[in-house]
Amino acid sequence: MGTRVFILSGPGGSGKTTLLNKLFRKKIFKKNFIRAISWTTRKRRPKENNGRDYFFVSKEKFLARKKKKFFLESQKVLDNYYGTPKYFYTQAKHAQKNLILCIDVKGGMYLKKHHKVGKITTIFIAAPDSGELYKRLLSRAEKKNIIDERLALAKKEMLAQKDYDYVVINKNIKTAVMDLEDILLARRYE
């Protein structure tokens, strides 16, 4: 079995991380998948843990690693850098597991076009509508100007869903988890 890479992307507030956290509570996911944890220069939000949600690093450290080709992909999003370390792919390949990346739309599209090892399946996670997305972003306790920037970016990112293999609408968390689980388990051996 080759290592398949699953990319979960979608606008901030769509629920990507929440869905992934719920999936990785199940034994079948721990047994068959490795979850990559991105590096970011973004400030940590309340309830986020370093090493579980992201690796929070300085801009200088991030850019130094980027220069050394440390990342599978890296992108600048709203004045912050995000990147996926290559070692997660190596780890998944060595363990004969599949890799799940929870990354922004720019990073997802970059890997879909440029990643030449392993097979890639792309999954777009979308909020049911812009009103719900706004409510979710408000709950993050970020400043209004940041929320407005994220909403403007979300409108652009929503246009990319046509380029993804699958789209999961996260209206109901239980249903969205089941939809995502069905896709991941069906495609893991291809």
Side-chain angles (χ1 to χ4, degrees):
M1 169 185 102
T3 297
R4 177 174 282 280
V5 177
F6 291 91
I7 296 172
L8 270 64
S9 296
S14 62
K16 303 177 297 289
T17 304
T18 300
L19 294 174
L20 212 46
N21 287 340
K22 291 197 176 288
L23 286 175
F24 271 88
R25 289 183 187 142
K26 300 180 180 197
K27 281 184 186 177
I28 193 162
F29 281 91
K30 292 177 185 174
K31 182 179 174 187
N32 290 282
F33 296 89
I34 287 178
R35 176 182 177 177
I37 300 168
S38 296
W39 281 38
T40 185
T41 60
R42 169 175 74 65
K43 297 283 184 224
R44 188 176 66 82
R45 294 183 189 124
K47 298 184 183 178
E48 286 183 326
N49 291 314
N50 191 40
R52 184 194 72 189
D53 299 299
Y54 287 96
F55 290 105
F56 296 96
V57 298
S58 69
K59 183 178 176 181
E60 295 75 25
K61 185 172 184 177
F62 188 99
L63 293 175
R65 291 290 175 103
K66 181 177 178 168
K67 194 173 184 179
K68 293 180 180 180
K69 308 230 184 280
F70 177 76
F71 299 108
L72 274 177
E73 61 80 32
S74 64
Q75 303 295 323
K76 186 176 183 183
V77 180
L78 299 179
D79 295 326
N80 292 300
Y81 290 93
Y82 295 82
T84 306
K86 289 179 182 178
Y87 60 77
F88 284 109
Y89 182 78
T90 304
Q91 182 184 10
K93 193 172 178 183
H94 180 73
Q96 297 182 349
K97 293 183 178 184
N98 295 295
L99 180 63
I100 299 179
L101 310 178
C102 186
I103 59 178
D104 70 283
V105 172
K106 281 172 45 178
M109 290 293 90
Y110 173 84
L111 280 179
K112 185 174 182 176
K113 291 176 184 166
H114 297 99
H115 187 65
K116 301 300 180 209
V117 289
K119 295 178 180 176
I120 291 183
T121 299
T122 55
I123 306 165
F124 191 91
I125 309 296
D129 57 56
S130 58
E132 178 63 23
L133 188 63
Y134 184 72
K135 280 182 10 187
R136 292 177 187 179
L137 290 172
L138 275 177
S139 72
R140 288 185 170 177
E142 291 183 316
K143 294 178 182 169
K144 182 164 178 9
N145 66 318
I146 303 254
I147 292 169
D148 291 343
E149 287 176 356
R150 289 194 177 278
L151 275 175
L153 177 62
K155 288 177 183 174
K156 293 177 190 171
E157 290 176 328
M158 291 299 289
L159 300 174
Q161 66 182 304
K162 68 184 181 332
D163 299 319
Y164 279 70
D165 300 318
Y166 296 93
V167 175
V168 172
I169 307 294
N170 187 10
K171 182 176 183 177
N172 172 291
I173 191 83
K174 190 174 182 180
T175 303
V177 167
M178 289 189 310
D179 292 345
L180 187 54
E181 183 175 350
D182 288 347
I183 294 165
L184 293 167
L185 294 179
R187 300 290 306 268
R188 69 185 155 153
Y189 294 125
E190 291 181 359

